[in-house]
Amino acid sequence: MKQEIEQLREIRHLEPIPDISFYFFLALVIVTLLFIGALVYMFWQRYHKKRKTRLRKEVFKRLTQVDFSDSKKAAYAITKYGRYLANEERSQKLFAQLLPRLEKYKFTPNPPPFDAEDIKYYDLFVESVDE
């Protein structure tokens, strides 16, 4: 009987098995959220870029359709739309040259009609921002 007790002492208690399934689950959730976040970001960027392109085309269309019969409104419209479209160095320089020419139409009660030289500056600016 003593021998049987000695054999029983050789049997050890059960060792606990580390359970890391929670960490696997947590890692899976984090990776899934990062993936979904990346997809949302990519779609947002694509939408924002298309929207910006559409807006630029609309502003360019309005700039090219300025009515020169009312020179005061035309001068304000050219200034408004030109500021938005002048984003390259060449177009910024041309817009800077065009702005002083528009001042005589903006701040007078009865402005004169656009003269040919001012329209040429306007056309040159429009060509510089052509889509």
Side-chain angles (χ1 to χ4, degrees), residues 54-68 73-82 84-85 122 125-126 129 131:
R54 285 193 307 256
L55 183 63
R56 184 169 170 82
K57 286 182 182 180
E58 179 66 29
V59 169
F60 182 74
K61 181 180 174 185
R62 289 183 184 180
L63 180 68
T64 56
Q65 294 176 349
V66 170
D67 181 24
F68 289 107
K73 285 184 181 179
Y76 280 111
I78 292 169
T79 304
K80 178 181 176 182
Y81 301 134
Y84 182 79
L85 292 173
Y122 163 78
F125 172 69
V126 169
V129 295
E131 298 289 321

Side-chain angles (χ1 to χ4, degrees), residues 18-30:
D19 185 18
I20 58 173
S21 61
F22 175 73
Y23 298 112
F24 282 133
F25 175 72
L26 191 61
L28 180 68
V29 167
I30 290 173

Side-chain angles (χ1 to χ4, degrees), residues 33-51:
L33 288 176
L34 287 175
F35 181 71
I36 290 172
L39 285 177
V40 167
Y41 179 74
M42 286 181 358
F43 284 125
W44 174 257
Q45 289 290 21
R46 181 175 292 164
Y47 168 75
H48 187 65
K49 185 177 180 182
K50 285 182 182 178
R51 181 175 168 259

Side-chain angles (χ1 to χ4, degrees), residues 76-106:
Y76 280 111
I78 292 169
T79 304
K80 178 181 176 182
Y81 301 134
R83 282 197 177 125
Y84 182 79
L85 292 173
N87 56 359
E88 296 171 0
E89 185 178 348
R90 180 172 184 253
S91 60
Q92 287 175 349
K93 286 181 181 178
L94 290 171
F95 187 66
Q97 292 174 355
L98 180 63
L99 274 180
R101 298 187 153 280
L102 296 176
E103 298 297 320
K104 62 184 172 185
Y105 302 109
K106 289 182 184 178

